[in-house]
């Protein structure tokens, strides 16, 4: 971040400056951060906490100034705004206007984080930033924007959402030059009244786009394309030949994927059909955006997938497929197809798929029916809704607690097993991955 004076931030946010007009060169929303330089601590009000209650902590950890929405006693210079979340976003929007990087936005239901990382790796520049970790929300996106500086040439920003209006607000502050929409499906549909409402929420990414904006969208579900505004020109990518960019052919093995396009072949150490979409999107982006220098072949070959996302872990006694970061019907079936390709006894350990709303029971049962037709020896489930998976699969056991599940695994796992672990984020399935890594020494 380049240095900005508090008076400028106050002007951008419609706030009132109290105290010295110092300059800051970083922003934090966590009072526990030990900071360097001059940091503006932004006091966020959450459901379970209020950042204004931790101003002393922020000061002790090196904060130089504060962005507040409440009058509090403090010896630090501070800006008072009506809403600190809105103030942070307005700050980021006006800050970004001072620079001219190529702005690339990525959204969708599945594959967006992995594609964001892959595209970032492919951009042939040292002067680039991307969304770090899972900071793709109304607080994380502005914090990532504020990492841009005078040298930044490319910014790859992931946009997630939990409710209508959020992506529109993120688009307002970022105003992307390039947009990529990965497959949209019923992940997190529980936050919406219908699939149409979910699609419309994703389409908010076009609220600040025009015909000059480069748009690439997964087109395998043609129904979704009907929701793209008429004012937007776009190309499509996907598995189906009707897309603008699609594979001529592809091959899948246990640990990787190879996809062929005309005279180009791309290989990546990510297994499954989802990886075909990743490579197809990368290829399509490279064809559409010649102004962005890309090394797509080398980036794909050297790519390391994000942690807990289809990580193949070869242990001395067994193989773990760690896909524990999150789960949805589409990503679960993709992971199950990867599991099928391995030799040995195949076990799927699956936690609940959350945020599916009133369709939760039906979706889990239908997923179990599909798994019943797959070459998987055992299906063990954890939680509440996932009992529908194990019961419908016809070869499952269900547990409501992770300790009981892990104890069961300790009694059945044997050498040369291949075990997939997957579940929604809050199910904590990574605990089972750690348990299996420790158990492996005793097999």
């Amino acid at each position: 971040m380049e240095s900005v004076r508090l008076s400028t931030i106050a002007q951008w946010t419609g706030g009132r400056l109290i105290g010295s007009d110092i300059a800051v060169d970083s922003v934090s929303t966590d009072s526990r951060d030990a900071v360097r330089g001059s940091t503006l601590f932004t006091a966020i009000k959450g459901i379970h906490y209020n950042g204004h209650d931790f101003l002393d902590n922020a000061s002790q950890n090196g904060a130089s100034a504060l962005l507040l929405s409440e009058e509090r006693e403090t010896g630090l210079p501070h800006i008072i705004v009506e809403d600190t979340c809105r103030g942070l976003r307005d700050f980021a929007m006006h800050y970004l206007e001072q620079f001219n990087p190529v702005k690339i936005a990525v959204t969708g239901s599945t594959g967006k984080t992995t594609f964001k990382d892959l595209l970032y790796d492919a951009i042939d520049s040292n002067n680039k930033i991307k969304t770090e970790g899972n900071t793709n929300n109304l607080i994380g996106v502005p914090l990532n924007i504020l990492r841009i500086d005078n040298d930044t040439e490319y910014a790859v920003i992931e946009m997630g959402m939990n409710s209508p209006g959020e992506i529109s607000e993120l688009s307002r502050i970022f105003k992307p030059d390039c947009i990529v929409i990965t497959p949209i499906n019923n992940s997190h549909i529980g936050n919406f009244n219908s699939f149409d409402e979910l699609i419309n929420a994703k389409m908010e990414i076009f609220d600040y786009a025009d015909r000059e904006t480069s748009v690439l969208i997964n087109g395998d579900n043609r129904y979704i394309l009907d929701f793209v505004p008429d004012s937007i020109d776009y190309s499509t990518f996907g598995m189906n030949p009707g897309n603008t960019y699609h594979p001529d052919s592809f091959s899948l093995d246990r640990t990787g994927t190879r996809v062929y396009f005309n005279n180009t072949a791309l290989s990546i150490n990510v297994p499954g059909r989802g990886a075909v979409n990743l490579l197809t999107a990368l290829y399509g982006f490279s064809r559409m955006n010649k102004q962005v220098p890309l090394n797509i072949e080398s980036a794909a070959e050297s790519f390391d997938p994000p942690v807990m996302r289809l990580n193949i872990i070869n242990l001395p006694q067994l193989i773990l497929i760690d896909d524990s970061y999150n789960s949805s019907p589409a990503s679960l079936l993709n992971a199950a197809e990867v599991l099928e390709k391995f030799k040995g006894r195949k076990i799927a350990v699956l936690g609940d798929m959350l945020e599916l709303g009133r369709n939760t029971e039906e979706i889990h049962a239908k997923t179990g029916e599909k798994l019943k037709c797959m070459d998987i020896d055992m299906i063990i489930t954890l939680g509440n809704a996932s009992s529908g998976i194990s019961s419908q699969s016809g070869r499952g056991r269900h547990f409501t607690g992770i300790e009981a599940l892990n104890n069961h695994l300790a009694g059945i796992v044997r050498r040369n097993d291949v075990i997939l672990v997957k579940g929604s984020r809050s199910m904590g399935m990574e605990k089972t991955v750690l348990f299996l890594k420790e158990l492996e020494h005793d097999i």
Side-chain angles (χ1 to χ4, degrees), residues 126-289:
N126 294 322
N127 300 316
K128 55 187 177 180
I129 67 114
K130 67 173 180 177
T131 300
E132 295 293 343
N134 195 35
T135 55
N136 62 4
N137 54 28
L138 291 172
I139 296 173
V141 168
L143 290 176
N144 281 292
I145 289 173
L146 290 167
R147 293 170 42 231
I148 290 170
D149 59 25
N150 286 323
D151 295 326
T152 306
E153 296 176 323
Y154 306 95
V156 185
I157 296 295
E158 178 184 339
M159 295 184 181
M161 57 89 182
N162 290 311
S163 60
E166 292 184 4
I167 286 186
S168 180
E169 179 67 359
L170 297 178
S171 298
R172 178 185 74 89
I173 68 174
F174 190 56
K175 297 181 179 64
D177 304 305
C178 309
I179 293 171
V180 179
I181 302 180
T182 64
I184 296 174
N185 51 50
N186 58 4
S187 301
H188 314 299
I189 197 171
N191 297 325
F192 299 88
N193 294 318
S194 66
F195 187 45
D196 285 6
E197 186 178 280
L198 184 153
I199 298 170
N200 277 320
K202 294 291 186 183
M203 294 300 134
E204 291 171 5
I205 200 167
F206 299 124
D207 286 358
Y208 295 85
D210 55 35
R211 291 192 182 277
E212 300 302 314
T213 307
S214 168
V215 176
L216 180 63
I217 180 171
N218 181 264
D220 284 338
N221 185 344
R222 309 304 289 186
Y223 178 72
I224 290 169
L225 300 180
D226 292 337
F227 290 78
V228 179
D230 292 338
S231 60
I232 299 299
D233 287 333
Y234 64 90
S235 297
T236 61
F237 74 93
M239 307 277 281
N240 298 332
N243 289 297
T244 314
Y245 303 103
H246 59 86
D248 292 331
S249 62
F250 61 87
S251 60
L252 307 173
D253 62 32
R254 293 177 299 174
T255 59
T257 304
R258 188 169 177 84
V259 185
Y260 301 88
F261 312 94
N262 297 322
N263 296 320
T264 301
L266 299 179
S267 297
I268 192 169
N269 61 337
V270 177
R273 293 176 182 271
V276 179
N277 266 325
L278 284 174
L279 294 178
T280 306
L282 182 65
Y283 175 77
F285 186 92
S286 71
R287 303 287 290 180
M288 292 177 62
N289 299 282

